[in-house]
Amino acid sequence: SQQGEEDPQALSIQEGENATMNCSYKTSINNLQWYRQNSGRGLVHLILIRSNEREKHSGRLRVTLDTSKKSSSLLITASRAADTASYFCATAVQGAQKLVFGQGTRLTINP
Amino acid sequence: KAGVTQTPRYLIKTRGQQVTLSCSPISGHRSVSWYQQTPGQGLQFLFEYFSETQRNKGNFPGRFSGRQFSNSRSEMNVSTLELGDSALYLCASSLVEGAYNEQFFGPGTRLTVL
């Protein structure tokens, strides 16, 4: 099964609302990253949070990390139509020199 | 700085053929990683190259191989193509070694195997 699993698989909200996506993982990590992908294109790095950090902000993005629960959340505030995309969490598993991606959350912002 | 570039963007091949995909990293980036993305399996790590050496490898058969040149450009080769190899192949570069660092992705090459 996947190291990182996002929840929900799909989310549809109105423009201006906040969107929250969650990611759970199984093993100890060095860091956790969030990426955005617009329909069938390359991924864009959003934010990296290290295992010793609990919260990080970048513009309208807020990421939290709870290593005791092995979970992370991505909050997008004041959503815009341009935020419509798939969002992936990726974990840097300790001892493994690679990122393991979850299946993603498909976010749709309705105007 | 120019971003990561991948060529070709689209490719159609038939079963049994082989294919070579190319990736040019961001200038100054020495690590190049390759990923396969399919609807069923999601994003899966293929391998990482740093300083012309393969540093990490995912769980893919030996038909998938790669190399990196002295200018950090990388190629990925898939031999004896199978229908299941149809996917979006993404290349990502990073400033430092370690495919667990922040990755800068290219637009991908969409491979269709008929």
Side-chain angles (χ1 to χ4, degrees):
Chain A
S1 60
Q2 293 285 342
Q3 155 73 343
E5 296 187 2
E6 285 96 338
D7 170 57
Q9 291 187 336
L11 180 62
S12 181
I13 60 173
Q14 296 300 120
E15 196 166 19
E17 293 181 338
N18 295 341
T20 299
M21 288 157 270
N22 302 296
C23 170
S24 61
Y25 57 93
K26 294 179 170 59
T27 59
S28 297
I29 60 172
N30 289 317
N31 69 61
L32 186 146
Q33 302 176 37
W34 286 90
Y35 289 82
R36 184 187 74 228
Q37 183 179 35
N38 290 90
S39 189
R41 298 169 72 175
L43 280 75
V44 174
H45 182 268
L46 296 175
I47 203 161
L48 181 154
I49 186 166
R50 293 184 168 76
S51 59
N52 61 352
E53 297 175 312
R54 291 297 166 257
E55 187 171 312
K56 212 162 180 181
H57 296 254
S58 177
R60 294 183 296 112
L61 306 180
R62 173 179 170 252
V63 168
T64 61
L65 178 64
D66 187 334
T67 52
S68 66
K69 294 181 180 178
K70 292 186 169 57
S71 67
S72 173
S73 68
L74 169 67
L75 168 67
I76 303 174
T77 60
S79 63
R80 304 167 182 168
D83 294 328
T84 294
S86 291
Y87 290 82
F88 295 88
C89 73
T91 51
V93 177
Q94 282 186 2
Q97 303 284 322
K98 63 180 183 179
L99 288 177
V100 179
F101 285 82
Q103 292 285 6
T105 292
R106 175 70 190 161
L107 175 65
T108 302
I109 309 298
N110 302 303
Chain B
K1 273 185 181 177
V4 177
T5 58
Q6 292 188 245
T7 57
R9 293 293 311 279
Y10 301 91
L11 207 47
I12 299 175
K13 292 284 187 178
T14 56
R15 279 183 300 173
Q17 288 186 311
Q18 75 166 18
V19 66
T20 299
L21 312 181
S22 180
C23 171
S24 292
I26 291 172
S27 178
H29 285 196
R30 295 168 60 197
S31 168
V32 174
S33 297
W34 288 89
Y35 296 82
Q36 180 196 65
Q37 186 177 29
T38 60
Q41 298 298 315
L43 269 155
Q44 292 188 290
F45 173 79
L46 280 156
F47 30 65
E48 181 204 3
Y49 284 86
F50 182 83
S51 293
E52 302 177 64
T53 305
Q54 188 180 90
R55 302 296 179 140
N56 293 291
K57 193 176 187 310
N59 296 324
F60 279 83
R63 299 185 299 106
F64 291 82
S65 63
R67 60 177 175 169
Q68 187 180 34
F69 302 95
S70 58
N71 61 358
S72 294
R73 191 177 70 84
S74 177
E75 288 182 346
M76 191 192 91
N77 184 275
V78 187
S79 62
T80 320
L81 284 166
E82 301 176 359
L83 295 178
D85 297 333
S86 292
L88 181 67
Y89 289 88
L90 294 162
C91 161
S93 74
S94 180
L95 193 59
V96 296
E97 180 185 1
Y100 52 84
N101 293 302
E102 177 183 352
Q103 301 289 296
F104 293 83
F105 282 82
T109 294
R110 184 163 296 282
L111 171 65
T112 302
V113 182
L114 302 175

